[in-house]
């Protein structure tokens, strides 16, 4: 079979690049968990020996780790004196909890979690069984909270809710809100903190996540205004909501149409749904970019796999696109569905019965 040598070399180069990135991000996560980036932040130029002294970690392994991170552009290396430093921009992403793009303290665990599930993933392909969310490495639940929380803290009450028609006024006056698929309640806490006149119900089918959510809410001093319900998106009991939120979770569900129908029944007649979804275009090829690649990979391991495990009545996937989401809401009995706003990573929709 004739082979185009130029294309062959280009593909091999891409493969080596991707293999290096995959190995490198695994070590980036290790460095995050060991506090290496925090030790380097604001410290200026450091030799491996100095970094070892600051962290108490193996100097020789730090040398290899630093070279891995420098080769990937995560730290800078100065050949003149053999020192390394963490640029302010990287520190803003990896070490600053107040940063809107913070990816430290476990957010990077997504990638280790996916690698840890490779046997389950292969079995899911062979049998079509999917992988239940609760059957993943427990680090997934913490990683999900830490991955999404900076965006919720930055945008949810500052940009997304104000972009909805008539919703913020109700929340300021005092509304009843459901956060379906709440996980560790990061989004619930952000909303409850911003709208003290409103009350909230945090709903999730995973008991372990609800237990952690209760701890987070107690730490935030919001226990009096946030209740909890362990239930799926199609069978929670609470009703009378002015707003029901699906934060980066509708596409994970085995029956998203059923979830939307149930939301319609649980809403007041003038209520609304806030839908936050990963940024996606309608056609597959429009999502062939670095962000789409990341979301498709996460969808394979986590989102679609969970939906299939739940029965897969309608598996959306993390790159469903606006047209597919609109169809779900129309089938769920909603008369209005529109894009309210967006960020580079999310699209925010509003649905009305």
């Amino acid at each position: 079979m004739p082979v185009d040598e130029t294309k062959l070399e280009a593909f091999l180069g891409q493969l080596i690049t991707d293999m290096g990135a995959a190995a490198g991000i695994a070590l980036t996560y290790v460095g995050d968990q060991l506090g290496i980036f925090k030790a380097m932040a604001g410290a200026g130029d450091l030799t491996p020996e100095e970094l070892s002294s600051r962290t108490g970690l193996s100097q020789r392994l730090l040398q290899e780790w630093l070279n891995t991170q420098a080769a990937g552009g995560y730290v800078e290396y100065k050949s003149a004196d053999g020192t390394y430093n963490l640029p302010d921009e990287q520190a803003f992403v990896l070490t600053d909890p107040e940063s809107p793009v913070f990816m430290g303290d476990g957010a990077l665990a997504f990638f280790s979690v996916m690698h840890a599930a490779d046997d389950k993933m292969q079995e899911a392909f062979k049998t079509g069984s999917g992988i239940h969310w609760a059957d993943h490495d427990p680090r997934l639940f913490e990683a999900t909270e830490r991955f999404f929380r900076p965006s919720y803290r930055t945008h949810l009450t500052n940009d997304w809710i104000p972009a909805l028609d008539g919703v913020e006024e109700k929340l300021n006056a005092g509304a009843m809100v459901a956060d379906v698929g709440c996980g560790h309640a990061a989004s619930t806490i952000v909303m409850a903190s911003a709208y003290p006149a409103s009350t909230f119900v945090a709903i999730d089918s995973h008991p372990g996540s609800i237990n952690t959510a209760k701890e987070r809410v107690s730490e935030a001093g919001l226990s009096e205004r946030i209740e909890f319900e362990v239930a799926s998106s199609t069978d929670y009991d609470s009703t009378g909501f002015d707003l029901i939120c699906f934060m980066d979770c509708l596409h994970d569900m085995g029956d998203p149409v059923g979830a939307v129908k149930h939301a319609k029944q649980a809403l007041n007649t003038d209520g609304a749904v806030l839908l936050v979804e990963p940024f996606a275009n309608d056609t597959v090829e429009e999502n062939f970019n670095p962000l789409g690649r990341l979301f498709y990979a996460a969808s394979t391991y986590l989102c679609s796999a969970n939906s299939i495990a739940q029965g897969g009545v309608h598996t959306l996937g993390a790159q469903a696109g606006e047209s597919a989401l609109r169809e779900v809401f129309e089938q769920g009995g909603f008369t209005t569905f529109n894009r309210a706003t967006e960020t580079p990573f999310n699209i925010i929709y509003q649905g009305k019965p």
Side-chain angles (χ1 to χ4, degrees):
M1 186 174 79
V3 174
D4 186 316
E5 292 291 338
T6 301
K7 290 182 179 180
L8 176 62
E9 291 179 7
F11 175 67
L12 285 173
Q14 177 188 341
L15 182 60
I16 294 299
T17 298
D18 291 345
M19 291 172 66
I25 202 68
L27 282 171
T28 300
Y29 172 64
V30 169
D32 168 76
Q33 294 297 286
L34 291 173
I36 302 175
F37 292 113
K38 290 180 179 178
M40 295 182 72
D45 299 336
L46 296 169
T47 64
E49 181 180 10
E50 290 169 334
L51 185 57
S52 176
S53 178
R54 291 175 69 92
T55 61
L57 301 174
S58 164
Q59 179 181 333
R60 186 64 188 89
L61 288 177
L62 279 172
Q63 175 77 67
E64 297 300 294
W65 182 90
L66 285 164
N67 287 335
T68 301
Q69 301 303 303
Y74 284 54
V75 304
E76 292 181 343
Y77 172 66
K78 295 183 178 179
S79 58
D81 56 6
T83 60
Y84 302 80
N85 73 82
L86 184 69
D88 292 340
E89 293 76 15
Q90 279 83 331
F92 190 59
V93 174
L94 295 170
T95 69
D96 184 357
E98 300 304 314
S99 164
V101 290
F102 180 53
M103 293 290 288
D105 287 351
L108 296 169
F110 268 124
F111 307 99
S112 294
V113 166
M114 285 191 273
H115 289 307
D118 62 345
D119 288 341
K120 292 179 181 178
M121 190 78 260
Q122 292 179 50
E123 186 66 19
F125 270 98
K126 293 174 182 177
T127 65
S129 59
I131 307 173
H132 280 287
W133 184 263
D135 290 339
H136 276 287
D137 186 309
R139 289 175 297 172
L140 172 63
F141 317 128
E142 188 83 11
T144 302
E145 174 189 5
R146 296 191 183 280
F147 184 85
F148 288 111
R149 185 169 57 191
S151 183
Y152 296 156
R153 189 172 53 211
T154 301
H155 297 291
L156 179 53
T157 59
N158 294 320
D159 307 309
W160 297 349
I161 288 177
L164 304 179
D165 181 24
V167 170
E168 186 168 48
E169 294 84 351
K170 290 182 181 180
L171 292 175
N172 283 325
M176 187 72 170
V177 181
D179 193 356
V180 179
C182 68
H184 288 179
S187 50
T188 324
I189 291 169
V190 169
M191 290 188 289
S193 299
Y195 304 110
S198 292
T199 54
F200 299 81
V201 180
I203 301 167
D204 202 285
S205 62
H206 183 228
S209 289
I210 287 293
N211 288 337
T212 301
K214 290 178 179 178
E215 295 175 5
R216 299 282 194 271
V217 167
S218 177
E219 292 166 1
L222 297 168
S223 298
E224 292 184 1
R225 291 194 295 111
I226 300 179
E227 298 179 356
F228 301 91
E229 189 171 341
V230 177
S232 78
S233 59
T234 57
D235 65 6
Y236 52 89
D237 295 326
S238 305
T239 59
F241 294 110
D242 300 293
L243 178 67
I244 295 178
C245 305
F246 294 99
M247 303 288 189
D248 288 292
C249 65
L250 186 69
H251 63 271
D252 298 304
M253 297 173 181
D255 185 8
V257 173
V260 171
K261 285 181 178 179
H262 193 71
K264 184 175 183 289
Q265 295 171 356
L267 278 173
N268 292 327
T269 55
D270 61 345
V273 165
L274 165 62
L275 175 66
V276 178
E277 282 286 304
F279 193 101
N281 296 295
D282 281 335
T283 64
V284 169
E285 61 270 22
E286 288 181 294
N287 298 320
F288 290 164
N289 52 60
L291 184 62
R293 185 187 191 189
L294 172 61
F295 285 155
Y296 277 128
S299 183
T300 307
Y301 266 99
L302 309 173
C303 313
S304 293
N306 180 71
S307 175
I308 291 168
Q310 290 183 350
V313 175
H314 189 165
T315 298
L316 285 169
Q319 293 284 272
E322 184 170 339
S323 295
L325 295 169
R326 176 176 284 105
E327 183 178 347
V328 166
F329 270 75
E330 289 174 351
Q331 292 180 22
F334 281 67
T335 59
T336 301
F337 182 80
N338 64 279
R339 182 185 300 211
T341 187
E342 63 187 58
T343 72
F345 301 106
N346 287 102
I347 301 178
I348 293 77
Y349 304 95
Q350 180 175 8
K352 292 183 179 181

